[in-house]
Amino acid sequence: MPTKSTTVRLAGLIKLAPLQSNAFKEFVNSTTIDQSLEIEEIKVENGTGDGGNDDIDRRVQALKLTIAARRVSADVLEIALGGPATRVAAGAVPAEVHTVDELGAEIILENLQDASASLTVIPVVDVGDPAPDPYELGVDYERTRLGIRPLEGGAIQVDDEISVSYTKAPHLRVEALLRMATERTVLIDAKNERTGAPWVGLYHRVSFPPAKNLKWYDGNQFASFDLEAEVLIASWITGNNISRMVKVLVGDDL
C-alpha cells in the first residue's frame, strides 16, 4: 500500500483557557506561531575505537512557543506587559491637584480625558476661602491631548497648586511588570487550507513572561506584541503514553 501524504498549509486561531478548564476564548490574530524544542543529550563515547558513540539518551529540556501578535486586546496587553488591565469607566474628575514645576511644560493628567467635554483649571485655596475664579484657556494655559500646559506670561506661576476638573474617557490602565508569569492552556485551532482538514495543537500548561521586545513604533507597520512562552509539565495529566505537555490532532487522511 502506498504511503498517504499531503502538503500542509495551516491557518487558524489561537485560543486560551484557564488551566484545567475547558473554557477557551479567542486570543489574538497571529501572523506566525513557532514551536521550538531544546533537547538534553547524554552520550556514552565509543571506547573501542573508530570514533562515534556507544549510546545516547535524550529528553526534553524545554519546549517553547513564539507568537507574533499583530492585533491587540486586553488579554494581549496583560500578558505582554506583565500586569493587570483595569477598565476605567467614563466619569467626572471634580478636582485633580497638581503642582506646577515649570511654565511651558505639559502637566499630564492621571486619566485619559474626554476631549469633547469641558475642562476647568482653578487655583487651590484653603478650606473656607471664597471660590477662586478659573484660569483662562489660551491665556493662562492651553489644553493638550494628555493634560494642560501652563503658559508663560499667564496667571499660573511655578510652584502653584492647581486643581483640574475634567471628564475621563473610557480606557484601559495596565500596571506593567507586576506579573512575571501568566499561565494558560493554549489551543491552536487550525486547518489545512489545502484540504480543509482540522489540525489542533493543545498545550496543556504554558507560562508567558512579559514580552521581551515591544515595538511601540515601527515605521509604517502595525505595532507588534510578540510573545515568547515556555510549555511546562502539566502534573495533573496521568497515564501511559499520554503527553503532559502537548497533544496534536490531525484531521488529514494520512
Side-chain angles (χ1 to χ4, degrees):
M1 177 181 292
T3 300
K4 292 183 178 181
S5 65
T6 183
T7 52
V8 179
R9 185 176 183 180
L10 297 180
L13 301 171
I14 297 178
K15 300 176 181 180
L16 299 189
L19 297 185
Q20 300 188 66
S21 78
N22 197 7
F24 289 89
K25 294 181 180 179
E26 291 184 15
F27 179 53
V28 69
N29 175 53
S30 178
T31 52
T32 59
I33 307 169
D34 294 329
Q35 172 187 302
S36 61
L37 177 64
E38 298 176 9
I39 298 176
E40 179 185 32
E41 294 186 345
I42 301 175
K43 301 177 183 179
V44 177
E45 296 181 0
N46 173 25
T48 63
D50 298 326
N53 293 313
D54 180 62
D55 201 358
I56 187 169
D57 186 53
R58 299 183 179 91
R59 63 183 178 184
V60 175
Q61 181 170 317
L63 180 63
K64 298 183 178 181
L65 290 177
T66 302
I67 300 171
R70 286 296 185 172
R71 280 187 177 271
V72 65
S73 67
D75 290 337
V76 170
L77 286 180
E78 283 196 329
I79 291 176
L81 297 178
T86 303
R87 296 189 181 276
V88 179
V93 180
E96 185 176 299
V97 176
H98 294 272
T99 299
V100 178
D101 293 321
E102 182 180 343
L103 298 180
E106 188 175 9
I107 295 174
I108 306 301
L109 299 175
E110 294 177 3
N111 303 280
L112 295 182
Q113 61 172 304
D114 181 352
S116 65
S118 62
L119 178 146
T120 303
V121 184
I122 62 173
V124 173
V125 296
D126 294 331
V127 176
D129 287 350
D133 293 330
Y135 291 114
E136 186 175 351
L137 177 65
V139 176
D140 302 317
Y141 70 94
E142 62 183 7
R143 191 172 181 178
T144 66
R145 188 166 59 91
L146 301 179
I148 65 167
R149 181 181 291 109
L151 298 175
E152 296 183 4
I156 300 175
Q157 301 298 313
V158 172
D159 294 332
D160 281 354
E161 282 194 327
I162 60 174
S163 176
V164 185
S165 303
Y166 63 99
T167 300
K168 293 180 292 184
H171 59 280
L172 284 175
R173 173 175 290 157
V174 183
E175 297 294 343
L177 302 182
L178 295 180
R179 298 175 181 169
M180 298 308 292
T182 301
E183 292 191 4
R184 296 287 188 272
T185 298
V186 175
L187 176 71
I188 299 176
D189 179 2
K191 70 175 181 179
N192 184 355
E193 291 192 303
R194 305 302 302 277
T195 65
W199 283 60
V200 176
L202 180 62
Y203 298 84
H204 304 296
R205 181 186 172 206
V206 180
S207 177
F208 290 91
K212 293 180 181 178
N213 297 293
L214 287 178
K215 293 185 178 180
W216 290 94
Y217 299 99
D218 189 14
N220 294 321
Q221 300 298 317
F222 291 112
S224 178
F225 299 84
D226 295 342
L227 306 175
E228 297 179 5
E230 182 164 346
V231 183
L232 304 178
I233 293 295
S235 59
W236 59 87
I237 296 177
T238 60
N240 295 327
N241 295 318
I242 297 177
S243 173
R244 293 189 293 167
M245 300 184 79
V246 58
K247 174 171 62 178
V248 177
L249 305 177
V250 179
D252 277 307
D253 184 17
L254 303 176

